[in-house]
Amino acid sequence: MHTAPLPTAGDSSCQHTLAAPQHWSGVGLHSGCEVSVTLQPAPANSGRCFVRVDLPQHPKIPARIDHVQSTQLATELVGAGASVRTVEHLLAALAIAGVDNVVIEVSGAEVPVLDGSAQPWLDGILAVGLAAQEAQRPCGALREPITLYEGDAFVSAVPAPATRVSYGIDFAYAAIGRQWCSFSPAELATEIAPARTFGFAEQVEYLRAQGLIQGGSLDNALVCSATGWLNPPLRFADEPVRHKLLDFWGDLALLGVPPTAHYVAYKASHHLHTQLARAIAPRLSPASTHSRL
């Protein structure tokens, strides 16, 4: 194993892990609890796996689509009697950076939200760099289209010569309205990773009464009202749709390495994102998925 620069997502033929451990801490978006995360290098073909270091026997929770339990405003994984929530931003950063194998030690039931984007995760990964591994990176191409609908929302994966991700949203709020964006995996580090999560001022009281967004603040989420953004400036004019694409890529990372395809989503949710991943998973050949932990 040798130290290597970050591979361009989807272009490297060999697997990678972190060159050294890296650590973050912060509050969970929904729990409001302080939690720490340490990424540890992992062997080839082991995939990405969460470990609840705050619990007895340190239960492992593989970051795979078959371990998804809940998708209410975040993606939650379960395994070995434990759970971990709001994993999508970290998983997106790992996928964007090209980290195939990693042990994610987490000291609580929710990954910290940090600034609401994937940028702090990606910056930390860049700081330590990657180590190339002897094993080949799984790869495959989608052979037939898949589309799932939920009302007027949909997610789709279409065979394509190269991977691309496109996303559309449409909100009644004038500050957002209808937005579309489309990027290749190589563009996600600069165009998608900095995009922050967003919410609506009129929903804050209700969601907090439901036990959600207990750790949400103007420091870790964009908040929109009928009259505009409460905490501008935005990092991109279309930051909301870019963040939705970030969530989508994080959920697709539960496949390990998503097959080459054009992925398209419109007005979708974590539920639809993960349903698409579930539909794709059985079509992957054994050679294009990580071995089970």
Side-chain angles (χ1 to χ4, degrees), residues 10-256:
D11 290 345
S12 180
S13 62
C14 64
Q15 295 179 29
H16 289 78
T17 189
L18 290 177
Q22 184 60 288
H23 180 81
W24 297 259
S25 62
V27 299
L29 175 62
H30 295 294
S31 67
C33 296
E34 185 77 19
V35 64
S36 64
V37 169
T38 300
L39 301 186
Q40 299 280 4
N45 296 315
S46 61
R48 309 175 188 116
C49 184
F50 290 89
V51 177
R52 285 287 303 274
V53 296
D54 59 314
L55 296 178
Q57 301 181 334
H58 295 179
K60 297 179 180 179
I61 308 169
R64 295 202 311 264
I65 189 60
D66 53 326
H67 285 263
V68 172
Q69 172 174 269
S70 171
T71 52
Q72 184 185 20
L73 297 184
T75 299
E76 181 178 16
L77 304 174
V78 297
S83 66
V84 62
R85 188 179 190 189
T86 319
V87 299
E88 55 272 13
H89 302 168
L90 172 53
L91 292 180
L94 291 167
I96 289 168
V99 179
D100 302 285
N101 306 299
V102 62
V103 172
I104 308 163
E105 298 177 347
V106 58
S107 67
E110 186 177 25
V111 171
V113 66
L114 303 180
D115 75 345
S117 78
Q119 194 65 55
W121 301 111
L122 192 58
D123 288 344
I125 294 167
L126 286 165
V128 298
L130 301 191
Q133 298 173 298
E134 294 295 330
Q136 292 295 297
R137 171 172 287 166
C139 63
L142 195 69
R143 296 187 177 183
E144 56 187 27
I146 304 170
T147 302
L148 303 174
Y149 295 92
E150 197 170 80
D152 63 345
F154 73 87
V155 288
S156 183
V158 182
T163 294
R164 191 163 190 85
V165 195
S166 303
Y167 213 106
I169 59 174
D170 192 354
F171 287 96
Y173 292 79
I176 302 177
R178 182 175 295 167
Q179 300 178 357
W180 277 94
C181 67
S182 183
F183 297 101
S184 69
E187 298 173 294
L188 300 184
T190 55
E191 303 298 331
I192 295 300
R196 294 162 292 175
T197 193
F198 64 98
F200 304 102
E202 293 81 0
Q203 297 178 2
V204 168
E205 185 176 337
Y206 170 77
L207 291 174
R208 286 190 169 157
Q210 301 300 307
L212 299 167
I213 65 167
Q214 302 299 307
S217 74
L218 296 179
D219 293 325
N220 57 35
L222 290 168
V223 180
C224 188
S225 73
T227 58
W229 294 102
L230 301 189
N231 53 337
L234 273 63
R235 293 176 178 173
F236 306 97
D238 58 350
E239 190 168 355
V241 73
R242 292 179 188 233
H243 183 79
K244 290 290 290 183
L245 193 153
L246 175 68
D247 282 344
F248 189 32
W249 198 238
D251 288 334
L252 288 175
L254 294 167
L255 291 169

